[in-house]
Amino acid sequence: MEITEEDFKNAVNSRSKFPIYEKMKNAVIGVAGLGGLGSNIACALARSGAGTIVAVDFDTVELSNINRQMYTIKHLGMKKTQAIKAIISEINPFCNVITYDMFIDEKNCTEIFGGCEIVCEAFDNAKSKAEIVNALLLSSRKVKVISGSGMAGFGRANDITTKTVSERFFICGDMKTDVADGEGLTASRVMICAGHQASKVMEIILKDYDKHKNNDC
Amino acid sequence: MAKINGEEVNANNLLITEFLSENGYSPERVAVMINGEILPKADYAKTRISDNDEIEVVGFVGGG
């Protein structure tokens, strides 16, 4: 079935009084890490019409990822960057997915995400999370950072929240449950955290729209 | 008194490194905001908490 971008736009905007698609189409959003958080964040944003997603990961899809990441059996052995690109092309073929198959750290993150207005930190490792968040917030650009911390284990869904740390820094999670505590990671809690992160992206993008709209009035 | 993570704390003159270690934070796994600005890690050992500072210490845990 042939779907035009106009069809897709109308479907995204259906039942909304705001032109969500048009605003999302102009957004350039970074996703650092394409695991449980990143793969779910990227797909949620693609469904809402994200125009450009800069997706970065060095890893390949393994069987142990399937319990919480967007990948399926057919993606096993593929680079996560290529797999997410393939998945998003089936969700929203009009989303431009720019991929970097590489290890991202505090030294290269500001350059890789240089064109992004918002970056979602979606790493697994606590030290790596802290490094990239610090580096992005220290960069002179006013990039906004939405991080995920504390979504391991099962249950306690309502403990996962979004906290505004500053006007440029938001953190989603329960801030406590560490995968090192041995309860593992489950799709349900990881997707809640990813949902919080993607939701904050949309809130930032559409709040700006609201503001401009009011100014125009 | 400074306000740290939303609570009034008497931590005047304490170095950020001292505050982190006294409260069980690993400097490698935190982001520290002072009065809305991110504090570079290199400054943790030379920044003292002042009266009325508003500080947010975000500790990261693993999983994603």
Side-chain angles (χ1 to χ4, degrees), chain A residues 68 123-124 126-127 129-130 134 137-138 147 149-151 163 166 171 178-179, chain B residues 28-31 33 36 38-41 44 56 58-64:
Chain A
R68 68 190 189 283
F123 290 157
D124 191 59
K127 188 165 167 261
K129 285 174 181 287
N134 275 282
L137 292 174
L138 279 168
S147 183
S149 182
M151 77 304 294
K163 180 181 175 186
S166 78
I171 187 154
D178 193 326
V179 70
Chain B
E28 284 186 332
R29 295 180 178 205
V30 296
M33 312 283 298
I38 185 86
L39 182 70
K41 283 197 191 293
Y44 287 7
E56 288 285 336
V58 175
F60 293 91
V61 294

Side-chain angles (χ1 to χ4, degrees), chain A residues 46-85:
Chain A
R47 287 182 197 281
S48 293
T52 305
I53 296 175
V54 179
V56 190
D57 203 304
F58 66 93
D59 217 352
T60 50
V61 179
E62 294 174 25
L63 191 55
S64 63
N65 301 151
I66 305 296
N67 71 343
R68 68 190 189 283
Q69 307 187 13
M70 279 301 291
Y71 313 109
T72 64
I73 298 296
K74 73 173 177 189
H75 299 113
L76 292 177
M78 268 175 91
K79 281 289 187 177
K80 288 186 177 175
T81 44
Q82 289 313 301
I84 203 73
K85 200 168 185 157

